[in-house]
Amino acid sequence: MPVIRNLGRAASQLLQSSGCGCGVSLVPARAIGVSPRQVASDASFHSVTFSESDHPRVLITGGLGQLGVGLAKLLRKRFGKNNVILSDIRKPADNVFYSGPFIFADILDYKNLREIVVNNRITWLFHYSALLSAVGEANVPLARAVNITGLHNVLDIAAEHNLRLFVPSTIGAFGPTSPRDPTPDLCIQRPRTIYGVSKVHAELMGEYYHYRYGLDFRCLRYPGIISADSQPGGGTTDYAVQIFHDAIKTGKFKCYLRPDTRLPMMYIDDCLKATLEVMEAPAETLTMRTYNISAMSFTPEELAQEVQKYVPELQMTYNVDQVRQAIADSWPMNFDDSNARRDWGWKHDYDLPELVTTMFSYLGSDSRIAQAN
C-alpha cells in the first residue's frame, strides 16, 4: 500500500467540508500491528450476543458525518448513553459533545484504533468514515487511503476482537453495466468512481472475512439519504437536501442534475431504523452479508413539484454538472430490496409526501411556508 505523508492543509480542509468524519494520518497509512493470518490463529471467532453482556458496547467511526450523530442518539436510547461512543477527527459541537461519550479516533492509525476497542471493551463497530462520491473524485489518493486502507484496519481489528461490524455501502457500488430499474442485490457491479470501487471492495472484503475468519459482517446499500439536521457533504444525491434549505432561504434552487434523473432516496429515520434492525437480526435469518434497502425513487422535477406545495414561488433552474450527472447516470434508478423485506422484515415508513412534510416541519416556519400552509 502507498505511504500517505503530509496531506497538508488542503486535504484537511477537504475532509472537514465533506461531512465524512474520516481520519488522515501523517504516518504510513498501513501501520498494521496484526495480520489476518495472525488473527486467524490467535482468536476464536463468534458473534457477541446479549447473553455475554446486557447491551453491546458500540463505537461509531466518522461519527460527525451525516448519519453518525443520529445513529448515536438512536442507539443510546436503546442501549444506554454510556454504551455508545461517537468518534471522529474533528471537534464536535457542544450539543454533540455533551450528549454522550465522544473520543478522537483516526481510522488510519491502527494502533490507536485497536487501543480504543480494547480499552472500551467494544463489541459492535459502525464504520462510517468515508469520502463521498464527488469529493472522492476530487482527491482520489485521499479517498483511496480513507475508504480502502482505513477499511482494512477496521476489518483486522474487528476480526481480532470478535466484533459485530457494520459497514454501509451505497447505490454508488453499481455502474453503467448494472441493471438499473430495478437493481437486484446480486448483479454486475462495475462502478466508475473511487467511492463506488471502494464500496464494492468493502462488500467483498467483509464477505470474505465472514467466510474465512467468521467475522460477523453486516452491510446495507444505502440510497441517497435526506435529513434536515446535516448539511450536504459532497454526494451526488445532495441536491435533494439542498433544495429544502434554498427554498426556505431564497425561494430559488439551481440543480446540478437533469430534471429527469431518477435515483433511489430515503429519509434518515428509515435509514437509521434499517441499520439497527439488520444489526439486531438473528444471524440465522441473514441469507447474505450485503442487502439493498429502498424507500422511494424520484427525479429533481418530481421533488420540486412536491416542494412547491409548501413554497409555491420556488424557482427551479438547472445547471448540469457533467461529473455528477455522469455519476448519477451510472447508478440505479430503483432498488430491489425484496431480500431485506423477506429475511429480516425491513419496511420503510416515509414516502415522498411524508418526506417533504417532515423536512419542512424540521427546518422552520418561514413566512412563505406558513402562507402556503
Side-chain angles (χ1 to χ4, degrees):
M1 299 297 295
V3 175
I4 308 299
R5 298 182 186 274
N6 193 17
L7 293 170
R9 182 184 302 270
S12 176
Q13 292 173 344
L14 176 61
L15 277 169
Q16 293 181 23
S17 66
S18 70
C20 68
C22 44
V24 178
S25 176
L26 301 184
V27 299
R30 186 65 171 168
I32 298 299
V34 59
S35 69
R37 182 175 301 175
Q38 289 173 307
V39 168
S41 62
D42 293 344
S44 59
F45 293 97
H46 61 283
S47 297
V48 175
T49 64
F50 292 155
S51 63
E52 296 172 79
S53 60
D54 292 334
H55 291 300
R57 293 277 298 166
V58 178
L59 174 66
I60 303 172
T61 66
L64 297 184
Q66 183 185 21
L67 300 175
V69 174
L71 180 63
K73 183 178 180 180
L74 176 66
L75 296 178
R76 284 167 179 163
K77 287 182 179 178
R78 187 62 166 269
F79 304 129
K81 176 178 177 180
N82 292 325
N83 284 321
V84 179
I85 301 174
L86 200 61
S87 72
D88 208 298
I89 63 166
R90 295 176 293 158
K91 185 170 67 173
D94 287 348
N95 66 307
V96 174
F97 184 78
Y98 291 110
S99 65
F102 180 92
I103 60 174
F104 174 92
D106 182 344
I107 62 166
L108 295 182
D109 186 341
Y110 179 89
K111 182 176 181 292
N112 175 251
L113 193 61
R114 194 180 184 203
E115 288 175 349
I116 290 170
V117 168
V118 171
N119 291 344
N120 294 282
R121 301 185 301 112
I122 298 301
T123 57
W124 284 16
L125 198 160
F126 292 83
H127 178 52
Y128 277 109
S129 297
L131 260 67
L132 302 182
S133 55
V135 174
E137 290 305 289
N139 195 331
V140 172
L142 180 60
R144 188 174 62 235
V146 172
N147 295 10
I148 296 178
T149 302
L151 169 75
H152 293 173
N153 290 345
V154 167
L155 284 169
D156 286 343
I157 291 169
E160 180 187 9
H161 296 287
N162 311 321
L163 308 186
R164 181 172 294 182
L165 174 63
F166 179 84
V167 178
S169 189
T170 168
I171 54 175
F174 298 96
T177 56
S178 305
R180 299 185 65 212
D181 190 15
T183 302
D185 284 303
L186 301 176
C187 64
I188 294 172
Q189 292 178 256
R190 291 293 185 272
R192 293 185 177 176
T193 65
I194 186 61
Y195 177 59
V197 169
S198 69
K199 287 302 183 180
V200 174
H201 178 74
E203 294 176 14
L204 294 176
M205 287 294 288
E207 186 171 326
Y208 171 76
Y209 268 61
H210 171 70
Y211 289 112
R212 178 68 175 84
Y213 302 124
L215 174 65
D216 191 351
F217 172 85
R218 305 181 184 205
C219 177
L220 296 177
R221 294 191 187 107
Y222 291 157
I225 304 301
I226 301 172
S227 63
D229 57 358
S230 63
Q231 294 297 315
T236 300
T237 59
D238 279 346
Y239 84 87
V241 176
Q242 191 64 51
I243 187 174
F244 292 97
H245 294 278
D246 289 2
I248 291 174
K249 292 178 181 178
T250 67
K252 300 178 181 179
F253 179 64
K254 183 180 293 185
C255 184
Y256 51 75
L257 297 180
R258 292 193 313 267
D260 61 347
T261 305
R262 183 172 300 280
L263 291 168
M265 300 285 187
M266 180 177 287
Y267 184 58
I268 188 170
D269 285 10
D270 276 338
C271 174
L272 299 179
K273 182 182 77 166
T275 301
L276 178 56
E277 286 179 354
V278 76
M279 283 293 277
E280 290 190 314
E284 61 270 16
T285 67
L286 304 179
T287 61
M288 55 187 65
R289 292 289 112 188
T290 298
Y291 289 90
N292 293 343
I293 54 169
S294 184
M296 67 193 86
S297 184
F298 56 75
T299 66
E301 186 175 44
E302 291 169 349
L303 177 59
Q305 290 171 357
E306 199 67 34
V307 170
Q308 284 168 342
K309 295 178 181 178
Y310 292 83
V311 186
E313 70 274 25
L314 173 67
Q315 299 177 24
M316 183 85 159
T317 59
Y318 296 89
N319 183 18
V320 176
D321 178 337
Q322 295 303 323
V323 173
R324 295 199 208 194
Q325 186 65 57
I327 293 172
D329 288 343
S330 72
W331 284 359
M333 299 169 65
N334 286 288
F335 256 165
D336 176 0
D337 62 354
S338 56
N339 288 319
R341 294 176 186 268
R342 180 199 66 214
D343 287 359
W344 43 276
W346 160 241
K347 183 179 180 181
H348 71 279
D349 294 325
Y350 293 83
D351 290 310
L352 181 56
E354 292 82 8
L355 163 71
V356 174
T357 298
T358 303
M359 286 292 287
F360 279 123
S361 70
Y362 273 111
L363 289 175
S365 55
D366 184 271
S367 59
R368 62 169 62 93
I369 298 174
Q371 290 170 6
N373 289 337

